Amino acid sequence: QVQLVESGGGLVQAGASLRLSCAASGRTFSIARMAWYRQAPGKERDFVSVIRWSGGLTYYAPSVKGRFTISGDNAKNTVYLQMNSLKPEDTAVYYCAASAEPHGGYESWGQGTQVTVSS
């Protein structure tokens, strides 16, 4: 299967920017899409963004559209999430996910990286 490791989280003030990274290893040749999810304390794990590994099509949750950008470096087996104009509501643990299928659930998940945005 695919192993995923997130990095780049931290504590920032509202309005600041962060770039998260997710490095994939293992069966990386099987990846069809990679995504970012986030989970705030006491809440469900919510979808943030996804990128098709072939074709580069992307999709964003309405709450982050226009502020976040997902991108990938296939040669480095790494997906990024550029987060601008951060809000306190963005505070959550951010998880990277990967799938060998073009739709459905994700088979591989990272351990998560904490993002905290202060007022």
Side-chain angles (χ1 to χ4, degrees):
Q1 200 42 277
V2 175
Q3 291 75 50
L4 305 172
V5 179
E6 303 97 332
S7 62
L11 173 62
V12 299
Q13 292 185 326
S17 297
L18 280 175
R19 188 173 80 155
L20 306 183
S21 298
C22 174
S25 60
R27 293 171 53 86
T28 57
F29 56 84
S30 69
I31 296 175
R33 59 194 165 111
M34 297 188 72
W36 288 97
Y37 281 71
R38 66 186 182 184
Q39 185 169 26
K43 297 189 176 182
E44 297 181 330
R45 184 173 297 187
D46 293 326
F47 168 81
V48 175
S49 185
V50 63
I51 182 169
R52 298 285 187 185
W53 223 227
S54 61
L57 294 177
T58 60
Y59 183 77
Y60 299 89
S63 59
V64 306
K65 194 177 303 179
R67 298 188 297 121
F68 291 11
T69 302
I70 190 171
S71 62
D73 186 334
N74 289 192
K76 295 182 178 180
N77 296 313
T78 300
V79 66
Y80 305 94
L81 185 68
Q82 178 66 45
M83 306 185 295
N84 298 326
S85 301
L86 283 164
K87 306 175 180 179
E89 308 93 90
D90 296 318
T91 295
V93 176
Y94 283 70
Y95 296 91
C96 179
S99 176
E101 301 296 329
H103 58 266
Y106 291 87
E107 303 95 58
S108 302
W109 292 85
Q111 82 290 345
T113 184
Q114 176 70 231
V115 172
T116 303
V117 184
S118 63
S119 302

Short mmCIF file of all heavy atoms in Angstrom, two decimals, residues 13-44:
data_model
loop_
_atom_site.label_atom_id
_atom_site.label_comp_id
_atom_site.label_asym_id
_atom_site.label_seq_id
_atom_site.Cartn_x
_atom_site.Cartn_y
_atom_site.Cartn_z
N GLN A 13 -1.13 33.44 13.12
CA GLN A 13 -2.20 34.39 13.37
C GLN A 13 -3.15 34.44 12.18
O GLN A 13 -2.78 34.09 11.06
CB GLN A 13 -1.64 35.79 13.62
CG GLN A 13 -0.86 35.92 14.91
CD GLN A 13 -0.42 37.35 15.17
OE1 GLN A 13 -0.13 38.10 14.25
NE2 GLN A 13 -0.39 37.73 16.44
N ALA A 14 -4.38 34.87 12.42
CA ALA A 14 -5.35 35.02 11.35
C ALA A 14 -4.79 35.92 10.25
O ALA A 14 -4.16 36.94 10.52
CB ALA A 14 -6.65 35.61 11.91
N GLY A 15 -5.01 35.50 9.00
CA GLY A 15 -4.51 36.24 7.86
C GLY A 15 -3.19 35.73 7.33
O GLY A 15 -2.79 36.10 6.22
N ALA A 16 -2.51 34.88 8.09
CA ALA A 16 -1.22 34.35 7.69
C ALA A 16 -1.38 33.20 6.70
O ALA A 16 -2.49 32.77 6.39
CB ALA A 16 -0.43 33.89 8.90
N SER A 17 -0.24 32.70 6.21
CA SER A 17 -0.22 31.60 5.25
C SER A 17 0.62 30.44 5.76
O SER A 17 1.56 30.63 6.54
CB SER A 17 0.34 32.06 3.91
OG SER A 17 -0.46 33.06 3.32
N LEU A 18 0.28 29.24 5.31
CA LEU A 18 1.04 28.03 5.58
C LEU A 18 0.99 27.15 4.35
O LEU A 18 0.02 27.20 3.60
CB LEU A 18 0.47 27.25 6.76
CG LEU A 18 0.79 27.69 8.19
CD1 LEU A 18 0.00 26.83 9.17
CD2 LEU A 18 2.27 27.58 8.47
N ARG A 19 2.03 26.35 4.16
CA ARG A 19 2.01 25.35 3.10
C ARG A 19 2.26 23.98 3.70
O ARG A 19 3.32 23.72 4.28
CB ARG A 19 3.06 25.62 2.01
CG ARG A 19 2.88 24.67 0.81
CD ARG A 19 3.77 25.00 -0.35
NE ARG A 19 5.13 24.51 -0.16
CZ ARG A 19 5.97 24.23 -1.16
NH1 ARG A 19 5.57 24.42 -2.42
NH2 ARG A 19 7.19 23.81 -0.90
N LEU A 20 1.28 23.10 3.55
CA LEU A 20 1.40 21.73 4.02
C LEU A 20 1.96 20.85 2.92
O LEU A 20 1.70 21.06 1.75
CB LEU A 20 0.04 21.18 4.46
CG LEU A 20 -0.75 22.00 5.49
CD1 LEU A 20 -2.03 21.26 5.86
CD2 LEU A 20 0.10 22.28 6.72
N SER A 21 2.72 19.84 3.32
CA SER A 21 3.28 18.88 2.38
C SER A 21 2.88 17.47 2.80
O SER A 21 2.73 17.19 3.98
CB SER A 21 4.81 18.97 2.33
OG SER A 21 5.23 20.24 1.88
N CYS A 22 2.74 16.59 1.82
CA CYS A 22 2.43 15.19 2.08
C CYS A 22 3.30 14.35 1.16
O CYS A 22 3.11 14.38 -0.07
CB CYS A 22 0.95 14.89 1.85
SG CYS A 22 0.52 13.14 1.97
N ALA A 23 4.24 13.62 1.73
CA ALA A 23 5.15 12.78 0.96
C ALA A 23 4.66 11.34 0.95
O ALA A 23 4.38 10.77 2.01
CB ALA A 23 6.55 12.85 1.55
N ALA A 24 4.54 10.75 -0.23
CA ALA A 24 4.07 9.38 -0.39
C ALA A 24 5.22 8.44 -0.68
O ALA A 24 6.19 8.80 -1.36
CB ALA A 24 3.04 9.30 -1.52
N SER A 25 5.12 7.22 -0.15
CA SER A 25 6.11 6.19 -0.41
C SER A 25 5.39 4.85 -0.54
O SER A 25 4.21 4.74 -0.26
CB SER A 25 7.16 6.14 0.69
OG SER A 25 6.57 5.86 1.95
N GLY A 26 6.12 3.82 -0.96
CA GLY A 26 5.52 2.51 -1.17
C GLY A 26 5.05 2.36 -2.60
O GLY A 26 5.78 2.65 -3.53
N ARG A 27 3.79 1.93 -2.78
CA ARG A 27 3.22 1.72 -4.10
C ARG A 27 2.73 3.03 -4.72
O ARG A 27 1.55 3.17 -5.06
CB ARG A 27 2.09 0.70 -4.03
CG ARG A 27 2.55 -0.71 -3.66
CD ARG A 27 1.36 -1.63 -3.39
NE ARG A 27 0.39 -1.65 -4.46
CZ ARG A 27 0.45 -2.43 -5.54
NH1 ARG A 27 1.45 -3.28 -5.69
NH2 ARG A 27 -0.51 -2.36 -6.46
N THR A 28 3.63 3.98 -4.88
CA THR A 28 3.25 5.30 -5.39
C THR A 28 2.79 5.26 -6.84
O THR A 28 2.05 6.15 -7.27
CB THR A 28 4.41 6.29 -5.24
OG1 THR A 28 5.56 5.78 -5.91
CG2 THR A 28 4.73 6.51 -3.78
N PHE A 29 3.22 4.24 -7.59
CA PHE A 29 2.81 4.13 -8.99
C PHE A 29 1.33 3.87 -9.14
O PHE A 29 0.77 4.03 -10.22
CB PHE A 29 3.61 3.02 -9.69
CG PHE A 29 3.50 1.68 -9.03
CD1 PHE A 29 2.44 0.84 -9.30
CD2 PHE A 29 4.46 1.27 -8.12
CE1 PHE A 29 2.33 -0.39 -8.69
CE2 PHE A 29 4.37 0.03 -7.50
CZ PHE A 29 3.29 -0.79 -7.78
N SER A 30 0.68 3.44 -8.06
CA SER A 30 -0.74 3.10 -8.11
C SER A 30 -1.65 4.29 -7.81
O SER A 30 -2.87 4.17 -7.95
CB SER A 30 -1.04 1.98 -7.11
OG SER A 30 -0.93 2.43 -5.77
N ILE A 31 -1.10 5.43 -7.40
CA ILE A 31 -1.92 6.57 -6.97
C ILE A 31 -2.70 7.16 -8.15
O ILE A 31 -2.12 7.51 -9.17
CB ILE A 31 -1.04 7.65 -6.32
CG1 ILE A 31 -0.40 7.12 -5.04
CG2 ILE A 31 -1.88 8.89 -6.02
CD1 ILE A 31 0.57 8.08 -4.39
N ALA A 32 -4.00 7.28 -7.96
CA ALA A 32 -4.87 7.92 -8.94
C ALA A 32 -5.28 9.33 -8.51
O ALA A 32 -5.49 10.20 -9.34
CB ALA A 32 -6.13 7.09 -9.17
N ARG A 33 -5.40 9.55 -7.19
CA ARG A 33 -5.77 10.86 -6.66
C ARG A 33 -5.27 11.00 -5.23
O ARG A 33 -5.12 10.01 -4.51
CB ARG A 33 -7.29 11.06 -6.70
CG ARG A 33 -8.05 10.02 -5.92
CD ARG A 33 -9.55 10.04 -6.24
NE ARG A 33 -10.17 8.81 -5.75
CZ ARG A 33 -11.02 8.75 -4.74
NH1 ARG A 33 -11.41 9.84 -4.11
NH2 ARG A 33 -11.51 7.57 -4.36
N MET A 34 -5.01 12.23 -4.85
CA MET A 34 -4.60 12.53 -3.48
C MET A 34 -5.46 13.67 -2.97
O MET A 34 -5.86 14.55 -3.73
CB MET A 34 -3.12 12.88 -3.41
CG MET A 34 -2.21 11.73 -3.82
SD MET A 34 -0.45 12.05 -3.54
CE MET A 34 -0.40 11.95 -1.74
N ALA A 35 -5.74 13.65 -1.69
CA ALA A 35 -6.66 14.61 -1.11
C ALA A 35 -6.20 15.09 0.26
O ALA A 35 -5.35 14.46 0.90
CB ALA A 35 -8.05 13.99 -0.98
N TRP A 36 -6.76 16.21 0.68
CA TRP A 36 -6.58 16.74 2.02
C TRP A 36 -7.93 16.76 2.73
O TRP A 36 -8.93 17.20 2.16
CB TRP A 36 -6.00 18.16 2.00
CG TRP A 36 -4.56 18.22 1.60
CD1 TRP A 36 -4.05 18.48 0.38
CD2 TRP A 36 -3.44 18.01 2.47
NE1 TRP A 36 -2.69 18.46 0.40
CE2 TRP A 36 -2.28 18.17 1.68
CE3 TRP A 36 -3.30 17.72 3.83
CZ2 TRP A 36 -0.99 18.04 2.21
CZ3 TRP A 36 -2.03 17.59 4.34
CH2 TRP A 36 -0.89 17.74 3.54
N TYR A 37 -7.94 16.28 3.96
CA TYR A 37 -9.09 16.36 4.86
C TYR A 37 -8.65 17.07 6.13
O TYR A 37 -7.45 17.19 6.39
CB TYR A 37 -9.60 14.96 5.19
CG TYR A 37 -10.46 14.32 4.13
CD1 TYR A 37 -9.91 13.88 2.93
CD2 TYR A 37 -11.83 14.14 4.33
CE1 TYR A 37 -10.70 13.29 1.96
CE2 TYR A 37 -12.62 13.54 3.37
CZ TYR A 37 -12.05 13.12 2.18
OH TYR A 37 -12.83 12.52 1.22
N ARG A 38 -9.62 17.53 6.92
CA ARG A 38 -9.28 18.14 8.20
C ARG A 38 -10.34 17.79 9.24
O ARG A 38 -11.49 17.54 8.92
CB ARG A 38 -9.13 19.66 8.08
CG ARG A 38 -10.40 20.41 7.73
CD ARG A 38 -10.10 21.88 7.51
NE ARG A 38 -11.29 22.66 7.22
CZ ARG A 38 -11.29 23.95 6.91
NH1 ARG A 38 -10.13 24.61 6.84
NH2 ARG A 38 -12.44 24.58 6.66
N GLN A 39 -9.92 17.79 10.50
CA GLN A 39 -10.82 17.44 11.58
C GLN A 39 -10.55 18.35 12.78
O GLN A 39 -9.45 18.34 13.34
CB GLN A 39 -10.66 15.98 11.99
CG GLN A 39 -11.66 15.52 13.04
CD GLN A 39 -11.65 14.02 13.23
OE1 GLN A 39 -10.63 13.37 12.98
NE2 GLN A 39 -12.76 13.47 13.66
N ALA A 40 -11.56 19.14 13.16
CA ALA A 40 -11.49 19.98 14.33
C ALA A 40 -11.96 19.18 15.54
O ALA A 40 -12.70 18.20 15.39
CB ALA A 40 -12.35 21.23 14.15
N PRO A 41 -11.55 19.56 16.75
CA PRO A 41 -11.96 18.82 17.95
C PRO A 41 -13.48 18.70 18.07
O PRO A 41 -14.20 19.69 17.94
CB PRO A 41 -11.39 19.67 19.09
CG PRO A 41 -10.21 20.35 18.49
CD PRO A 41 -10.63 20.66 17.08
N GLY A 42 -13.96 17.48 18.28
CA GLY A 42 -15.38 17.24 18.45
C GLY A 42 -16.20 17.28 17.18
O GLY A 42 -17.43 17.22 17.24
N LYS A 43 -15.55 17.38 16.02
CA LYS A 43 -16.27 17.45 14.76
C LYS A 43 -15.85 16.33 13.82
O LYS A 43 -14.87 15.63 14.05
CB LYS A 43 -16.05 18.81 14.09
CG LYS A 43 -16.59 19.98 14.90
CD LYS A 43 -16.53 21.27 14.11
CE LYS A 43 -17.17 22.41 14.88
NZ LYS A 43 -17.16 23.67 14.10
N GLU A 44 -16.63 16.16 12.75
CA GLU A 44 -16.34 15.14 11.75
C GLU A 44 -15.11 15.51 10.94
O GLU A 44 -14.72 16.68 10.87
CB GLU A 44 -17.52 14.99 10.79
CG GLU A 44 -18.80 14.50 11.43
CD GLU A 44 -19.92 14.35 10.40
OE1 GLU A 44 -19.92 15.10 9.40
OE2 GLU A 44 -20.77 13.47 10.59
#
